[in-house]
Amino acid sequence: MSSQPLVPGDIVHLNVGGVRYATSKQTLTWVPDSFFSSMLSGRISTLRDETGAIFIDRDPKLFSIILNFLRTKNLDLRDVDIGILRHEGEFYGITPLVKRLILCEDLNQSSCGDVLFHGYLLPPSVPVGEPPTYGGTLDKKEAANFRILPECHIAPSGNVQANNVSDAKPGSVLRITTESSSASSRPPSASHSRNSSVDNRVHMSQLSRSSSDLRTLGRGHSRTSSLDLRHSRNSSADFTKSLRGDLGLYFGSHGTPVWTDPLRVRIVKGHHNWIAVAYAHFVACYRLKDSTGWQRAFVSPHIEPVVERIALNAKVATNQPEKCTKMLAISCGPQVRLWGLSEDGARADIGTFNLNVPVDYLFFIGSQLVALSHTGKVGVWHAMTQHWQIQDVVPIASFDTAGSFLLLGCNNGSIYYIDMQKFPLRMKDNDLLVTELYRDPSFDVITAISVYLTPKTSLRGNWIEIAYGTSSGTVRVIVQHPETVGHGPQLFQTFTVHRTPVIKVMLSEKYLISVCAEYNHVRTWSVTRFRGMISTQPGSTPLASFKVVSLEDLEPNLSYIAGNDCGPYGDKDDEQVFLQKVVPETDQLYVRLASSGNRICIIKSVDATTITAFCVHECEGSNRMGSRPRRYIFTGHSSGAIQMWDLTTALDSASKGATASNTVGGPTPQELVRLIDQCDLTNSRCSTPCLSPSPYLLPGNMPRVKASNIAFLSNQGVAPAATEAEASASDNMEVSSDLNLSRC
């Protein structure tokens, strides 16, 4: 090692990644405060090779471009990734080069989005629960349980600052305010509250607003902003990680934070011209009007438990007061809470119901609210009778709805159906009318199910076609036509192309689509029909085989699973799409045709915030002549905002061949590597990152980390972890033993 300054005017010999260069000190140091000026002035140590040349362990190809810029101020960007070159320029501290490259990147980026960007909904204010009130003062025994700490401020950097924090004792109430807060603006009840969680909510809402303000500052429109801010791949995610790390002792013990970001969008659902957005402790609804566009219509009060599921019905025939024609339901564990909403957003609390087991899925069938649990419980609330009823059936692995029918795929290999038109009760035993429709020949678990009602379906449901997948990887199609009435559905076709459990299946007018648990491997077939009915002449023809790779967190929560479903999305008589979110912390989605896997477009957040939830929804056309329904992609973000994208325009452009990318599928190997680079793979509990895209969907008796998973990333150009770490990874990897519900 040597730190001896070079004599001015000397020729500098460099060894960059094994390639030797010779240049002058003047060439390397004309940019002030760069890596080279620090190196040549002796402020940082240097390493020399056997010839005395200064060794720099960087890419020699990129260095040659940077050196040419230092010599001539000219750039040759042919066959060069601008983002990678910018990263190298930032390493060397060549500010003029970095500014030029940022400008080149901004030529194709705009905070107003591209032609598909349709709108931006600002996040709502976080509702705060009412603090408890008291009829008198605390007695001495109660007062002895409380100790109010001195003020604790959060600096703009996100670090905690406190006076005499060392005086804190276990059980103390810690008050967190922003630096700009004054004593007069603090709630007087904060120092006398018996429930510290109430104080926490108050200050966490302040904290979330402060973090939102900092995110806004980080997304300024100035092109001369700090290079450090521009270099951050996801400033909001970085801020959140920093905040959790700094306040880890406050939010949880043993280094495990328990704080939930109150503004992070968890689920987005749509129905007609309304959408519902679930945050951690509240829900907001937006409605679309012809003249005014999207407007916020409702914000729920603070909800103490974390919201896990939501359901929305924008057209309800009900006898509720105040003309409540909308229904909004949420579930938190086993609890289901239901509101009635009017067109102007007025709220009526209908009630809170208990399923007695955690709710896995929540949805409406007509005016009935249905809650399902994989344990075999079905809860139904009817809008007309105001009656909540729980029915025990066989443990459920999948479900689908069609018209007034609810079909259940169960662990015993049977398919059951419930006709909601015959709800609420049987005449005798007060049970739901649950009927066994079909039993799999191999008695495999029905892990996915899809129902298609042909145009000639009668009220009795005689013309029904059902596709289902099993735990063994088999896909079967059963039909019930008029000639089979009285004998139940008949087996029509069987496909054995999957070797892992089928987690999704979709039967539509033109296609049969199945997805298995092996990296969301998709197989598609074209469906031949005669007079609307599925036909054996010439039968189903294989179309495509591809993967919708979607890496998840090691321990995904229920709301993440509900808010980040890859699809397929779309009506069964229209083109369907997959939304591919490759890594959990990313600002882009790949939109792909479900029938072929071809890429339609890439959705990229206009403000660089992480996409935390998404859905596809078709909104009704306006009353104007010639207006037609349009499909949109709604993306929820870590900042709490909602961004909208015109899927109809994207599909029209792809069908006309206007985009050259529609012949490409998911991310290319280069794009995949770049996306994985944005994900902190080293934060997993095991040496090898969680490689399974859907670990919660695999049975507990399956291999936890497969060799094929390592091989897949290797084929995509991603270097897997060391071989000796695989044994440790296999011991540490945890896969859910329950086979969660999969809705297609």
Side-chain angles (χ1 to χ4, degrees), residues 651-701:
L651 287 170
D652 291 344
S653 299
S655 63
K656 297 175 182 177
T659 58
S661 62
N662 59 2
T663 58
V664 183
T668 64
Q670 293 78 12
E671 292 171 333
L672 180 61
V673 170
R674 190 178 297 113
L675 288 169
I676 294 180
D677 184 50
Q678 299 178 23
C679 182
D680 192 358
L681 297 178
T682 60
N683 280 347
S684 60
R685 294 182 178 178
C686 53
S687 301
T688 302
C690 179
L691 298 180
S692 173
S694 301
Y696 60 92
L697 292 170
L698 297 177
N701 59 353

Side-chain angles (χ1 to χ4, degrees), residues 89-104:
E90 289 171 341
F91 172 82
Y92 291 116
I94 311 301
T95 305
L97 172 63
V98 173
K99 288 183 177 181
R100 285 165 170 78
L101 295 176
I102 287 176
L103 182 59
C104 292

Side-chain angles (χ1 to χ4, degrees), residues 114-118 578-581 586-592 599-606 609 611 613-616 632-637 643-647 650 675:
D114 56 16
V115 67
L116 301 180
F117 180 64
H118 186 72
F578 283 108
L579 299 185
Q580 184 176 4
K581 183 181 179 183
T586 182
D587 62 350
Q588 56 186 305
L589 300 175
Y590 291 82
V591 185
R592 305 172 63 180
R599 183 186 302 181
I600 300 173
C601 62
I602 298 179
I603 298 299
K604 189 175 178 61
S605 172
V606 297
T609 54
I611 297 176
F614 52 84
C615 75
V616 174
Y632 298 97
I633 298 174
F634 294 88
T635 56
H637 295 257
Q643 298 179 22
M644 295 171 286
W645 312 86
D646 191 344
L647 180 57
L675 288 169

Side-chain angles (χ1 to χ4, degrees), residues 467-742:
Y468 71 89
T470 69
S471 57
S472 65
T474 303
V475 178
R476 302 187 196 273
V477 179
I478 60 176
V479 297
Q480 180 168 297
H481 290 165
E483 60 271 17
T484 65
V485 172
H487 301 283
Q490 300 297 309
L491 182 60
F492 182 77
Q493 280 180 311
T494 299
F495 304 93
T496 56
V497 297
H498 296 292
R499 299 181 60 190
T500 56
V502 177
I503 59 175
K504 297 175 182 293
V505 66
M506 177 66 72
L507 179 61
S508 63
E509 180 183 7
K510 298 180 180 179
Y511 305 107
L512 170 62
I513 302 169
S514 65
V515 185
C516 75
E518 183 67 31
Y519 272 102
N520 291 340
H521 177 222
V522 182
R523 285 296 303 268
T524 64
W525 296 265
S526 63
V527 175
T528 304
R529 295 189 175 276
F530 178 72
R531 294 181 179 177
M533 298 182 298
I534 194 169
S535 173
T536 59
Q537 302 295 331
S540 301
T541 304
L543 279 182
S545 174
F546 56 93
K547 292 180 180 178
V548 185
V549 178
S550 180
L551 302 177
E552 293 179 349
D553 285 328
L554 185 62
E555 297 177 355
N557 53 55
L558 279 177
S559 60
Y560 181 89
I561 298 169
N564 293 268
D565 186 8
C566 66
Y569 291 95
D571 294 335
K572 295 181 179 180
D573 58 352
D574 202 352
E575 186 68 69
Q576 297 172 323
V577 298
F578 283 108
L579 299 185
Q580 184 176 4
K581 183 181 179 183
V582 180
V583 293
E585 297 291 327
T586 182
D587 62 350
Q588 56 186 305
L589 300 175
Y590 291 82
V591 185
R592 305 172 63 180
L593 288 175
S595 58
S596 63
N598 290 343
R599 183 186 302 181
I600 300 173
C601 62
I602 298 179
I603 298 299
K604 189 175 178 61
S605 172
V606 297
D607 54 5
T609 54
T610 298
I611 297 176
T612 57
F614 52 84
C615 75
V616 174
H617 178 58
E618 182 175 275
C619 297
E620 297 176 341
S622 65
N623 297 326
R624 300 183 181 91
M625 183 178 297
S627 178
R628 60 167 181 155
R630 299 191 69 84
R631 288 203 279 176
Y632 298 97
I633 298 174
F634 294 88
T635 56
H637 295 257
S638 56
S639 63
I642 300 295
Q643 298 179 22
M644 295 171 286
W645 312 86
D646 191 344
L647 180 57
T648 299
T649 298
L651 287 170
D652 291 344
S653 299
S655 63
K656 297 175 182 177
T659 58
S661 62
N662 59 2
T663 58
V664 183
T668 64
Q670 293 78 12
E671 292 171 333
L672 180 61
V673 170
R674 190 178 297 113
L675 288 169
I676 294 180
D677 184 50
Q678 299 178 23
C679 182
D680 192 358
L681 297 178
T682 60
N683 280 347
S684 60
R685 294 182 178 178
C686 53
S687 301
T688 302
C690 179
L691 298 180
S692 173
S694 301
Y696 60 92
L697 292 170
L698 297 177
N701 59 353
M702 299 194 67
R704 291 174 177 171
V705 178
K706 299 182 178 180
S708 59
N709 293 343
I710 302 291
F712 175 81
L713 286 184
S714 299
N715 293 335
Q716 298 299 315
V718 182
T723 304
E724 56 268 21
E726 294 179 5
S728 174
S730 179
D731 293 336
N732 292 319
M733 182 77 70
E734 294 182 359
V735 181
S736 175
S737 59
D738 294 330
L739 186 63
N740 287 22
L741 298 179
S742 59

Side-chain angles (χ1 to χ4, degrees), residues 144-150 164-175 190 193 195-197 199-200 249-250:
N145 295 327
F146 293 88
R147 175 179 175 85
I148 307 302
L149 292 181
N164 300 326
V165 179
S166 59
D167 295 337
K169 296 182 179 180
S172 300
V173 178
L174 177 62
R175 297 197 300 175
S193 171
N195 188 352
S196 60
S197 64
D199 296 324
N200 296 348
L249 295 177
Y250 174 69

Side-chain angles (χ1 to χ4, degrees), residues 405-422:
F405 292 98
L406 170 62
L407 280 87
L408 305 175
C410 298
N411 288 3
N412 64 353
S414 293
I415 298 175
Y416 298 88
Y417 77 92
I418 304 173
D419 189 352
M420 289 297 173
Q421 288 185 341
K422 298 180 180 180

